[in-house]
């Protein structure tokens, strides 16, 4: 197996240099580190008391208006740095600022968008939080659309995301723990949980794993996901990624933990069980009859998406006796025109569809629908007429393709696609027995998968009857008085829904 | 070192897996025989086996338009004279257009001569033994030669493929109660059981069509008698199974009509059989209640009370007479369709043993007294009073 | 079970060590291990025979054996906890079996079951040994003792599962005889799948294929447990260090034995003997140990 060879990054002796009293010395050292950083701006002013002051910031990250209005006038008017007011921090009219003693920290702050002020004669620097970063407005994520709920989505800034969550759960029990990880990209990861519901053991585990990460670039949620998974070699996701605040909030209230990562709108929910990936907020917005219908539809859809082509291959290759009589002759007729055995035919069609799908993600929106029509209809039809595939194959592939996207989560969709291919190969080798054996193998794998200590296939294995109401069907809201067991919540009750006049 | 072992093992596994392909039975390469026929051969006790399978050609489509508006369904048929079914199939494979397999056989046809002379279950054994073949094929006796029916039948121009035509025909008529539905496994089960015998649909080839005649009665694996469709329908009634059959009956006296008969549509039937031992002989009683709709009659007035009861009276006696005829035929053929012997074996076991089990029953069955008490009730008459 | 409660955390192999002394125990343990292997092979051969008869007539047995053992191998490596979780599939299979029986009720004749006990009780007694086969699986209790978390419940749960199994067996037997009739039932190798062949549904016609798939899943569950227990017991006797290699060796061993001895008649005799073996391991030996332990006044303590 590949061994991870992580180079040990030595701590350089510069890491702990303190800010010197002399401005010149500080600037010398800083220029060393910040050489060739063309986006660094240095403004040199003099206080009223005659001291030299350097204001350092990254162009593009700060708000000029605020600096000019709040920081510079105060600096220019500064007479005495030894005054009581100065020592008591009553001088600057800025909400958030702090004193920095170590040079490295100052550099860090500059790169984060703070404005750092170095005053000659002081052995500390001030850092003011006056950022202004152009950000995307809040809009609904395109991959997770629902019909009846709100259309908010997370944005790239972690603090704004936290704000969104906080505004919807106005409780002091919602705790936010911030960690900085990643050697160079220095991403801020926030762990959100409800103190009185979430299980402290799981929280501890998450923190531990996050702190252990030694990786250069934590740009996306997926990277973090892979680095802290229980079982990174499994194809099944062990965290749920979502851009929707309502999903994150619902999960928080069930006792799960949400990770918000700076610079990505995707949040991670953990711990996770397999059936979570089939739930959408829409299910809860409608009557439970329809919610159950939708859920069942998704399960049937995913079963079809995985197994249908394999069954087709198995039956045509090994078990022709199972074909219903009325289909027998038409099927034979259409198959007889095709020069390939069923497995090859199926692979041809499936691979073409996968290519189509992959390509359509990157197509400009003007071409997208056209290619869809061309690819889907015309290609399929002409392939049949050319005698490369049989028409039943096209129907099967079409149904399968549509069924794959019934699953709300993108990760799950990927899994279905890959599994389908493996099932097809197994079916071609051993027929229905092959399908059964691979099914057993994947069940065995699923059963042994754990997400932060919680079994992945809960509540089916181990069997927890109480939690079944939210899996294949969506029980009426009145039955949701207890929280599901997956996150081992401390407080199990969540209040009954209104049941009319019955008490 | 580890790398080498890994690659060797994986290559090995791949090759091993691919050998699973040995058992592949790709669908379009198979000529799935849809019907099989058995005939007596004059040759040393051999049997003539005829197999029919649709010929799906590579040029797309298995039938061609003959230009006069009718379709020519291509069907391949071959006949071999051997002892064994399997042997016949393999001989046929020596010259057939596709790899003949028996997995989807819909009907198994025995010619009446064969059915009367030889044991049928011996031919059916291969279906049970081979797991690929189906045991749900209908067992049929042909009044005449099975081979001729299949050969002529494949050439019908106005009808669909012979096997599908047959399968469809029998299924529909079974639903209406004119012939029994006996497939291989049921035949075998009933055949082996002491004290009960199967019956099998009976058909005949006529000019350019096939007609369902009723049932063939089987005793100890051979055909020994027959019933026509009306008798079969009444038989089902006696069994208590209502199939929604149309049964004719003789009209009561005093009705002026050229039709001479009326016809009813059976709606509900309740049949109670009881077997008693009187003086060490079994006596069977049937108590049947039949509700029926009058389907076709004439313009007379039915609603008068006493006329209705006269109609019911003549209906009852008509059907009772038929049933008595049926039982007579059954006993002559020594075919115990209802399973009286089975019931005696179950409930009166000492008696069963005393008559010597199955052997004894076969001699006693024809002498059993069967009483039929049937009461018919006309409940609806359609739109005309 | 009483024995199990007494020696709280030890499997039967450890018990034998403390009860009999080291050297005798070693021999007894080997016998137990062989018994387990025997049962595993018996079951596996039935499994292979079923699959072989129905689908793979010309594929060599060993290839099938390798393929079929893969999920069991994986699961046994993962431990007993996962095997227990995995058995949830039983919740699906048992209803399927019932479904199978219900679909066939049309052909059910109660007269096939009567008369009962005609031949006298003696012949019923004679049939008991082969029906002991229903109790196979009971002996696994002896081996999993150390893993049981809740010993108090053990008696109740074990009896319950035994009752359910026997009930299921009886049900299937009644259905098979009722539908097929005495004479035919004994001519069939696998009457459960034979029932599946009977069914004719309106659109799908033959659905025996899907029932066989369910049967495959069921058989796999059996093999899982045995494979794990063999490894576990072997580990206790021989103290292996790694997990993968002994497991692989065991799997290969089973495959080799099974491929060489593939023969239908052998399978039938195996099933008869399996009943005895199971009682021997699961009942007699623990009983003997219990007696000895009481006599010697030994109790087990703590975990080994």
């Amino acid at each position: 197996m590949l061994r991870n060879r992580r180079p040990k990054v030595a701590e350089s002796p510069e890491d702990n240099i303190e800010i010197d009293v002399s401005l010149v010395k500080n600037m010398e050292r800083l220029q060393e580190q910040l050489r060739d950083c063309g986006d660094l701006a240095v403004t040199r002013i003099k206080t009223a008391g005659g001291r030299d002051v350097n204001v350092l910031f990254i162009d593009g990250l700060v708000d000029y208006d605020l600096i000019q209005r709040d920081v510079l006038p105060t600096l220019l008017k500064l007479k005495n740095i030894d005054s009581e007011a100065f020592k008591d921090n009553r001088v600057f009219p800025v909400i958030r600022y702090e004193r920095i003693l170590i040079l490295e920290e100052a550099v860090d702050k500059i790169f984060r968008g703070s404005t750092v002020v170095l005053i000659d004669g002081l052995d500390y620097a001030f850092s003011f939080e006056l950022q202004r970063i152009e950000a995307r407005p809040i809009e609904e994520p395109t991959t997770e659309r629902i019909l009846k709920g709100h259309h908010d989505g997370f944005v790239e800034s972690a603090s704004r995301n936290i704000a969104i969550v906080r505004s919807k759960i106005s409780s002091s029990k919602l705790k936010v723990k911030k960690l900085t990880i990643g050697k160079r990209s220095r991403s801020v990861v926030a762990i959100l949980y409800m103190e009185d519901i979430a299980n402290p053991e799981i929280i501890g585990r998450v923190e531990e794993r996050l702190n252990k990460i030694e990786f250069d670039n934590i740009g996306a949620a997926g990277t973090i996901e892979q680095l802290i998974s229980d079982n990174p070699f499994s194809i099944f996701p062990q965290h749920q990624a979502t851009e929707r605040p309502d999903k994150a909030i619902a999960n928080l209230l069930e006792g799960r933990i949400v990770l918000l990562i700076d610079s990505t709108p995707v949040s991670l929910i953990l711990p996770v069980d397999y059936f979570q990936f089939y739930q959408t907020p829409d299910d809860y917005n409608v009557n439970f009859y329809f919610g159950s219908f939708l859920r069942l539809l998704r399960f049937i859809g995913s079963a079809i998406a995985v197994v249908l082509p394999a069954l087709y291959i198995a039956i045509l290759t090994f078990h022709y006796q199972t074909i219903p009589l009325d289909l027998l002759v038409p099927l034979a007729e259409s198959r007889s025109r095709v020069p390939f055995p069923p497995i090859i035919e199926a692979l041809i069609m499936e691979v073409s569809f996968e290519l189509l799908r992959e390509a359509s993600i990157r197509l400009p929106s003007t071409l997208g629908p056209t290619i869809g029509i061309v690819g889907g209809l015309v290609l399929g039809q002409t392939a049949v007429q050319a005698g490369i595939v049989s028409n039943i194959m096209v129907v099967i592939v079409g149904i399968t393709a549509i069924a794959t996207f019934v699953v709300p989560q993108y990760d799950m969709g990927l899994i279905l696609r890959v599994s389908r291919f493996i099932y097809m190969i197994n079916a071609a080798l051993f027929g229905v027995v092959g399908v059964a054996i691979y099914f057993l193998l994947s069940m065995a794998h699923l059963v042994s998968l754990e997400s932060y200590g919680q079994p992945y296939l809960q509540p089916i294995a181990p069997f927890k009857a109480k939690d079944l109401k939210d899996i294949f069907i969506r029980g009426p809201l009145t039955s949701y008085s207890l929280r599901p067991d997956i996150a081992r919540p401390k407080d199990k009750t969540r209040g009954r829904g209104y049941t009319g006049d019955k008490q | 070192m580890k790398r080498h072992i890994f690659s060797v093992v994986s290559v090995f596994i791949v090759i091993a897996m691919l050998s699973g392909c040995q058992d592949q039975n790709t669908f379009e390469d198979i000529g799935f025989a849809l019907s099989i026929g058995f005939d007596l051969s004059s040759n040393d006790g051999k049997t003539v086996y005829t197999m029919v399978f649709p010929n799906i050609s590579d040029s797309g489509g298995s039938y061609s338009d003959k230009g006069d508006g009718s379709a020519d369904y291509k069907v391949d048929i071959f006949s071999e004279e051997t002892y064994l079914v399997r042997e016949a199939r393999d001989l046929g494979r020596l010259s057939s257009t596709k790899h003949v397999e028996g997995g989807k056989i819909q009907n198994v046809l025995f010619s009446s001569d064969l059915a009367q002379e030889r044991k049928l279950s011996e031919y059916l054994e291969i279906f049970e033994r081979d797991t690929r073949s189906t045991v749900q094929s209908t067992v049929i006796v042909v009044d005449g030669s099975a081979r001729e029916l299949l050969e002529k039948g494949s050439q019908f121009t106005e009808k669909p493929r012979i096997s599908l035509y047959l399968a469809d025909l029998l299924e529909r008529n079974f639903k209406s109660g004119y012939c029994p539905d006996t497939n291989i496994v049921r035949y075998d089960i009933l055949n082996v059981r002491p004290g009960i015998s199967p019956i099998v649909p009976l058909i005949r080839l006529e000019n350019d069509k096939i007609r369902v005649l009723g049932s063939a009665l089987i005793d100890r694996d051979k055909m020994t008698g027959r019933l026509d469709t009306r008798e079969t329908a009444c038989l089902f009634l006696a069994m208590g199974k209502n199939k929604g059959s149309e049964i004719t009956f003789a009209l009561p006296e005093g009705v002026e009509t050229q039709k001479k008969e009326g016809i009813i549509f059976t709606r509900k039937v309740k049949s109670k059989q009881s077997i008693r031992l009187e003086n060490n002989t079994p006596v069977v009683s049937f108590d049947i209640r039949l509700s029926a709709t009058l389907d076709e009659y004439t313009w007379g007035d039915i609603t008068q009370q006493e006329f209705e009861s006269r109609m019911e009276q003549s209906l009852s006696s008509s059907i009772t007479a038929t049933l008595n005829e049926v039982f007579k035929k059954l006993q002559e053929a020594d075919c115990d369709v209802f399973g009286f012997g089975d019931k005696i074996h179950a409930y009166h076991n000492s008696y069963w043993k005393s008559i010597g089990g199955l052997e004894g029953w076969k001699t006693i069955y024809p002498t059993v007294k069967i009483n039929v008490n049937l009461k018919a009730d006309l409940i609806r008459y359609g739109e005309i009073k | 079970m009483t024995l199990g409660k007494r020696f709280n955390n030890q499997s039967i192999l450890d018990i034998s060590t403390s009860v009999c002394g080291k050297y005798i125990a070693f021999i007894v343990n080997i016998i137990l291990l062989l018994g387990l292997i025997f049962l595993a092979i018996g079951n596996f051969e039935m499994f292979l025979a079923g699959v072989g008869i129905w689908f793979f007539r010309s594929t060599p047995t060993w290839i099938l054996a390798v393929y079929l053992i893969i999920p069991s191998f994986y699961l046994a490596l993962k431990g007993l906890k996962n095997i227990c979780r995995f058995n949830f599939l039983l919740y699906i299979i048992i209803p399927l079996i019932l479904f199978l029986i219900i679909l066939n009720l049309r052909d059910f004749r109660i007269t096939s079951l009567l008369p009962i006990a005609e031949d006298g009780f003696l012949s019923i007694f004679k049939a008991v040994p082969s029906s002991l086969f229903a109790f196979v699986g009971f002996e696994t209790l002896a081996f999993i003792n150390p893993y049981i978390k809740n010993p108090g419940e053990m008696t109740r749960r074990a009896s319950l599962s035994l009752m359910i199994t026997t009930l299921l067996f009886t049900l299937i037997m009644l259905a098979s005889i009722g539908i097929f009739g005495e004479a035919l039932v004994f001519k069939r190798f696998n009457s459960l799948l034979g029932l599946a062949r009977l069914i004719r549904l309106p659109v799908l016609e033959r659905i025996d294929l899907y029932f066989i798939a369910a049967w495959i899943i069921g058989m796999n569950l059996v093999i899982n447990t045995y494979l794990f227990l063999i490894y576990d017991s072997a580990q206790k006797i021989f103290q292996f260090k790694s997990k993968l290699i002994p497991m692989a060796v065991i799997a290969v061993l089973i495959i080799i034995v099974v491929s060489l001895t593939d023969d239908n008649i052998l399978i039938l005799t195996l099933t008869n003997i399996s009943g005895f073996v199971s009682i021997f391991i699961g009942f007699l030996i623990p009983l003997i140990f219990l007696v000895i332990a009481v006599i010697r006044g030994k109790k087990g303590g703590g975990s080994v």
Side-chain angles (χ1 to χ4, degrees), chain B residues 172-179 229-238 241-248 263-269 290-295 319:
Chain B
R172 275 181 285 118
N173 282 295
F174 167 63
K175 288 219 174 88
S176 311
Y178 297 129
C179 66
T229 51
R230 183 162 176 273
E231 290 166 342
T232 313
C234 294
L235 185 66
F236 279 121
L237 287 182
K241 297 187 188 163
N242 174 40
K243 301 272 176 190
S245 339
E246 305 263 356
I247 305 184
T248 58
I263 190 166
I264 53 148
F265 175 75
T266 58
R267 287 198 51 150
K268 201 162 85 157
V269 69
L290 170 69
S291 315
T293 313
L294 184 64
D295 236 15
I319 298 189

Side-chain angles (χ1 to χ4, degrees), chain B residues 139-154:
Chain B
V139 179
I140 309 171
V141 172
V142 178
D143 186 17
S145 156
R147 176 180 183 170
E148 196 187 336
L149 186 139
L150 285 176
E151 281 177 354
K152 294 256 171 61
S154 348

Side-chain angles (χ1 to χ4, degrees), chain A residues 109-125:
Chain A
K109 285 281 182 193
I110 294 176
F111 286 134
R112 283 194 186 283
S114 310
T115 314
V116 168
V117 173
L118 287 165
I119 304 183
D120 196 22
L122 284 179
D123 64 347
Y124 55 85

Side-chain angles (χ1 to χ4, degrees), chain B residues 156-220:
Chain B
F156 284 161
T157 50
E158 307 294 324
K159 301 266 188 303
R161 278 203 185 84
I162 175 76
S163 328
L164 304 175
Y165 172 40
L166 269 179
D168 212 21
L169 185 71
L170 287 169
E171 191 179 327
R172 275 181 285 118
N173 282 295
F174 167 63
K175 288 219 174 88
S176 311
Y178 297 129
C179 66
D181 164 28
T182 311
N183 56 24
I184 293 181
V185 66
R186 290 207 189 105
Y187 180 87
D188 279 333
I189 292 175
L190 294 180
N191 199 27
V192 167
R193 275 251 197 89
I196 187 169
S197 317
I199 56 173
V200 160
L202 184 66
I203 61 178
R204 177 169 61 209
L205 173 71
E206 287 178 4
N207 262 341
D208 58 346
K209 53 182 178 286
I210 298 179
R211 178 184 296 277
V212 171
L213 291 182
S215 351
L217 305 173
I218 308 280
D219 168 41
R220 276 170 289 200

